C-alpha cells in the first residue's frame, strides 16, 4: 500500500493566516503505533480509503510518525476562560495536520489529539491516554447518531508509550475530524494578544469558512455574532433534550462552527436532576446539566466582547449591538428548548400550556428520581403503566393533562408514537456501558464490547430488539459516578 492510496486531499487555509495564530509543529514520533479502532463509515464519507488507513503506512500517518504529502502540521494558538479564569492556552497536545476537502467539497480539519509536545504544552506532556481517547470516540459517535452537531473520531491509535497519569496508562492518539477548530478562545486570543488587523483577519477567515452569507449583510461581524449565538443555542438545547452534560464548557471548548467539541469528563444524565455534575474537577457545579444554557450565554458574552472593535467604529454603538445580540440568547434558546421538548411529548402544535406541561413532568421526574431517557422511552412506548410512578397521584394528574392535550391535536396514536420515537432516543451511551467498553479495551485489548455498543448507538431512535439490553440501568451503588478529564 502506498501513502497516496489513503486519498487525503489537503488544502490548508489556516496556515495562510498570519503566523501569530499558530506554530509550525510536527507531531512527535511514537515508539510502536497500533490501530485500536478505525471509523470505516466516516472514512468512506470523507472519501478516504479505509483499507489504506489500516495498513502500516496508514497507521504511520494516524500516529504522526509520517507526514502525508500536502499536510502542513501546526499547533493552533488560542486562549480561554477556564472555570471563569482567563489564560493563554493553545493546542498543547494536538496537531492540526491540515484541512481535507471531501468528495462533496466540504472542508474539514484533520487533527491528531495526543501527539506530543508543542509550544503551548505549558506543564503538560502533550500526550493522551487510551481510555479518554476511546471515551471521546464513543461519545462523539453517539452524539452523531443522535443527530447533534459534533466533531468525530476517525481513528484511535495506541502509541506504544506508557504515560503517567494517576496511574501508568497506555498512550493513544485520536484522529479528530471537525468542521474547524476555531473556538471562542481563538477570538479571545486574537482580541487579547494580537492587533486589530489580526482580529479582523480571524473574523474574516471565520466568515469565509463558516458564515459566508454574512457577506451579503450590512454588518458582517454582527451577523457572525448573531449566527454563532443561534448555532450555540440550538446546540445547547439539543444537549439538554438528550440529557448530555459536556462537563468542561470553558470558552476554549466552545466551537464557533456550533459543533460539540473537546469531550473530556462528559456524560449523560441518568436520574433527572438539573444539578447533576459528573466531572471530578467541577466541585462547584459550574457546568452542571441545568447550568449549561447560562454558561453558554456567559461564554457567548465573552465572544461578543472580542468583536466589539469590529461591530462599529463608535464604541458605544458597538457595545449596544453586542449587548442586544447577547440578550437575545435566552429567548432563542428557550424557544428551541421548548419546541424540542414539545416533540418529545408527541405534540405537533404549540399551545401556551405546553411549557407547564413540560416543566411539571420534569418536576415529577426530579421528585421521584426517574431516569430521564427511560421515562421518555416509556412515555413513547406507552409503557409507563408498568412502572411505580404510574400509581402516584401527582403523576396521574399530569398524565391526564397530557392525554387531554394530545386529544386536542386529534392525531392518531401511531402518528404520536412515530413522532416521539423520532426524538426520544431509546439508547444513550450509559455511563456503566461506556466504562465497561473502555475497561475491556484498555485492560484486555478487547474492542468487541465497544464495537457492540457503537452499533446500537448508531441508530438511537430505532427502538430495535438488540437495543433493549442497553436501556437497562446499572445496579444501584452508593458511590456516585465520576468522570475525569484524563489530561
Ligand atoms: P482540554 O481540557 O483538553 O480542553 O485542554 C485544555 C488545555 O490544556 C488545552 O490548551 C490543551 O491543549 C491543554 N492540555 C491538556 N492536556 C494536556 C497535556 N497532556 N499536555 C499538554 N497540554 C495539555
Ligand atoms: Mg479544550
Amino acid at each position: 500500500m502506498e501513502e497516496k492510496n489513503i486519498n487525503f486531499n489537503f488544502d490548508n487555509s489556516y496556515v495562510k493566516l498570519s503566523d501569530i495564530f499558530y506554530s509550525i509543529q510536527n507531531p512527535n514520533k511514537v515508539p510502536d503505533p497500533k490501530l485500536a479502532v478505525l471509523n470505516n463509515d466516516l472514512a468512506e464519507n470523507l472519501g478516504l480509503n479505509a483499507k489504506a488507513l489500516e495498513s502500516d503506512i496508514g497507521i504511520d500517518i494516524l500516529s504522526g510518525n509520517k507526514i502525508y504529502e500536502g499536510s502542513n502540521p501546526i499547533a493552533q494558538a488560542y486562549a480561554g476562560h477556564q472555570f471563569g479564569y482567563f489564560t493563554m492556552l493553545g493546542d498543547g497536545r494536538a496537531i492540526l495536520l491540515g484541512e481535507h476537502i471531501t468528495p462533496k467539497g466540504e472542508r474539514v480539519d484533520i487533527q491528531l489529539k495526543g501527539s506530543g509536545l508543542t509550544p503551548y504544552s505549558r506543564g503538560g506532556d502533550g500526550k493522551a491516554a487510551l481510555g479518554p481517547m476511546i471515551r471521546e470516540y464513543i461519545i462523539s459517535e453517539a452524539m452523531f447518531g443522535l443527530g447533534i452537531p459534533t466533531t468525530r473520531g476517525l481513528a484511535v491509535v495506541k502509541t506504544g508509550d506508557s504515560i503517567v497519569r494517576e496511574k501508568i496508562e497506555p498512550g493513544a492518539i485520536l484522529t479528530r475530524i471537525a468542521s474547524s477548530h476555531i473556538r471562542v478562545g481563538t477570538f479571545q486570543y486574537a482580541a487579547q494578544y494580537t492587533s486589530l488587523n489580526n482580529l479582523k483577519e480571524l473574523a474574516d477567515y471565520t466568515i469565509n469558512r463558516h458564515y459566508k452569507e454574512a457577506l451579503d449583510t450590512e454588518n458582517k461581524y454582527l451577523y457572525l455574532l448573531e449566527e454563532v449565538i443561534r448555532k450555540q443555542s440550538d446546540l445547547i438545547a439539543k444537549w439538554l433534550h438528550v440529557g448530555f452534560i459536556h462537563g468542561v464548557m470553558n470558552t476554549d471548548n466552545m466551537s464557533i462552527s456550533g459543533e460539540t467539541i473537546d469531550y473530556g469528563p462528559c456524560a449523560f444524565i441518568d436520574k433527572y436532576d438539573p444539578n447533576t455534575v459528573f466531572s471530578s474537577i467541577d466541585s462547584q457545579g459550574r457546568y452542571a446539566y441545568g447550568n449549561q444554557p447560562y454558561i453558554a450565554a456567559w461564554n457567548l458574552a465573552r465572544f461578543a466582547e472580542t468583536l466589539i472593535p469590529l461591530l462599529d467604529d463608535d464604541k458605544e454603538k458597538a457595545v449596544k449591538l453586542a449587548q442586544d445580540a447577547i440578550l437575545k440568547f435566552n429567548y432563542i434558546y428557550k424557544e428551541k428548548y421548548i419546541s424540542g421538548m414539545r416533540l418529545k411529548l408527541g405534540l405537533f402544535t404549540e399551545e401556551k400550556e405546553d411549557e407547564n406541561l413540560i416543566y411539571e413532568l420534569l418536576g415529577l421526574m426530579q421528585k421521584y428520581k426517574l431516569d430521564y431517557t427511560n421515562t421518555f422511552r416509556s412515555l413513547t412506548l406507552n409503557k409507563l403503566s408498568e412502572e411505580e410512578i404510574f400509581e402516584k397521584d401527582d403523576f396521574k394528574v399530569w398524565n391526564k393533562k397530557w392525554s387531554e392535550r394530545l386529544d386536542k391535536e386529534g392525531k392518531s396514536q401511531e402518528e404520536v408514537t412515530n413522532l416521539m420515537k423520532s426524538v426520544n432516543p431509546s439508547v444513550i451511551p450509559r455511563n456503566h456501558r461506556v466504562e465497561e467498553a473502555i475497561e475491556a479495551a484498555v485492560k484486555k485489548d478487547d474492542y468487541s464490547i465497544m464495537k457492540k455498543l457503537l452499533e446500537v448507538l448508531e441508530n438511537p431512535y430505532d427502538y430495535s430488539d438488540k437495543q433493549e439490553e442497553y436501556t437497562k440501568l446499572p445496579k444501584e451503588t452508593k458511590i456516585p459516578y465520576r468522570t475525569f478529564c484524563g489530561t
Side-chain angles (χ1 to χ4, degrees), residues 78 82 89-90 92-93 121-122 124-127 165 253 262 487:
Y78 53 87
Q82 299 201 301
L89 296 161
R93 56 162 173 172
S121 295
R122 300 175 291 159
D125 60 1
K127 294 176 183 173
R165 293 296 180 260
N253 293 340
D262 268 3
T487 47

Side-chain angles (χ1 to χ4, degrees), residues 75-88:
Q76 289 175 307
Y78 53 87
H81 276 92
Q82 299 201 301
F83 292 88
Y85 297 98
F86 186 73
T87 181
M88 176 62 201

